[in-house]
Amino acid sequence: AQSVTQLDSHVSVSEGTPVLLRCNYSSSYSPSLFWYVQHPNKGLQLLLKYTSAATLVKGINGFEAEFKKSETSFHLTKPSAHMSDAAEYFCVVSPYNKLIFGAGTRLAVHP
Amino acid sequence: NAGVTQTPKFRILKIGQSMTLQCTQDMNHNYMYWYRQDPGMGLKLIYYSVGAGITDKGEVPNGYNVSRSTTEDFPLRLELAAPSQTSVYFCASVREGNYGYTFGSGTRLTVV
């Protein structure tokens, strides 16, 4: 069975510092992986997706993620956090046209 | 294009009442999904459909029913509401073979 584990439930950074949100996946074959963001009381927005093309995936708002098969990881990074990045982030794996969500990481950004 | 439209946005139900959460998409997507999101948790798949007339259970189907009579509509039915069904419900759709999932804005349901 495919699954994702988000290693941190909460991450707190200062504005202007780097962001790292960690995600490990479990899959019996090469998966499709996504990061979604959810701002408070809002719906879900796709940040980026990996579908077996380039291992370094660039997304919206300066976010990127690197697919590392040897480590079964798909960590999300951003060089410099902005206050507007404060939100819940979900790592997602997609087997057979279904999405399986991680538990989420809440990112707090402090001035 | 409206994308995925969910109604209502908010609802309070009493225990034992029934209701239908509506979901409509205008993108001609063949795959549609219902998820629930409990506080502090990720989304759990309730039911999904790969096309009109075809539905299947997800991770947490108990207490819910669905139907898919048209490509556009995928309503979710709660027959006997229970407090455990208090959650935010999201509908989503995608075209087979694509990865561009589109989510609705959600329905916040409280059962008291």
Side-chain angles (χ1 to χ4, degrees):
Chain A
Q2 299 205 7
S3 64
V4 289
T5 302
Q6 293 185 243
L7 300 173
D8 308 289
S9 57
H10 292 83
V11 170
S12 181
V13 300
S14 297
E15 190 175 22
T17 64
V19 175
L20 170 63
L21 305 183
R22 299 182 296 163
C23 173
N24 286 352
Y25 70 90
S26 172
S27 175
S28 55
Y29 56 90
S30 186
S32 296
L33 292 159
F34 307 77
W35 277 98
Y36 279 84
V37 61
Q38 184 179 35
H39 287 92
N41 298 314
K42 299 289 186 182
L44 291 145
Q45 181 182 21
L46 178 66
L47 275 179
L48 49 83
K49 61 185 177 185
Y50 167 78
T51 57
S52 74
T55 56
L56 183 62
V57 182
K58 293 190 183 298
I60 61 172
N61 299 335
F63 284 95
E64 63 181 36
E66 187 172 7
F67 174 74
K68 292 187 176 181
K69 187 175 181 179
S70 60
E71 299 175 11
T72 61
S73 69
F74 190 58
H75 301 335
L76 181 71
T77 60
K78 183 173 181 177
S80 176
H82 192 273
M83 296 296 290
S84 61
D85 294 328
E88 188 90 17
Y89 291 79
F90 294 99
C91 183
V92 182
V93 65
S94 178
Y96 309 120
N97 277 302
K98 285 186 281 185
L99 298 180
I100 297 175
F101 284 75
T105 297
R106 182 166 297 277
L107 176 65
V109 182
H110 302 287
Chain B
N1 282 348
V4 177
T5 302
Q6 290 184 238
T7 55
K9 294 191 183 302
F10 303 93
R11 183 74 186 268
I12 299 175
L13 276 183
K14 294 184 178 179
I15 294 172
Q17 287 185 320
S18 62
M19 76 163 295
T20 299
L21 282 67
Q22 302 291 346
C23 176
T24 299
Q25 53 91 10
D26 62 357
M27 299 168 286
N28 202 31
H29 287 172
N30 49 343
Y31 284 59
M32 294 188 74
Y33 309 82
W34 275 106
Y35 287 87
R36 61 176 286 173
Q37 183 181 26
D38 298 325
M41 305 289 287
L43 278 68
K44 299 290 187 185
L45 181 62
I46 305 171
Y47 271 95
Y48 66 102
S49 168
V50 301
I54 306 169
T55 62
D56 208 346
K57 296 178 180 179
E59 299 173 78
V60 290
N62 292 343
Y64 306 95
N65 280 299
V66 293
S67 60
R68 184 95 181 270
S69 57
T70 66
T71 299
E72 296 78 20
D73 300 308
F74 190 42
L76 178 71
R77 180 82 177 163
L78 283 71
E79 291 293 350
L80 291 170
S84 61
Q85 294 176 306
T86 294
S87 191
V88 180
Y89 292 82
F90 289 98
C91 181
S93 72
V94 70
R95 183 170 292 125
E96 183 182 8
N98 197 311
Y99 297 98
Y101 291 81
T102 302
F103 282 82
S105 58
T107 296
R108 187 175 295 274
L109 176 67
T110 302
V111 181
V112 296

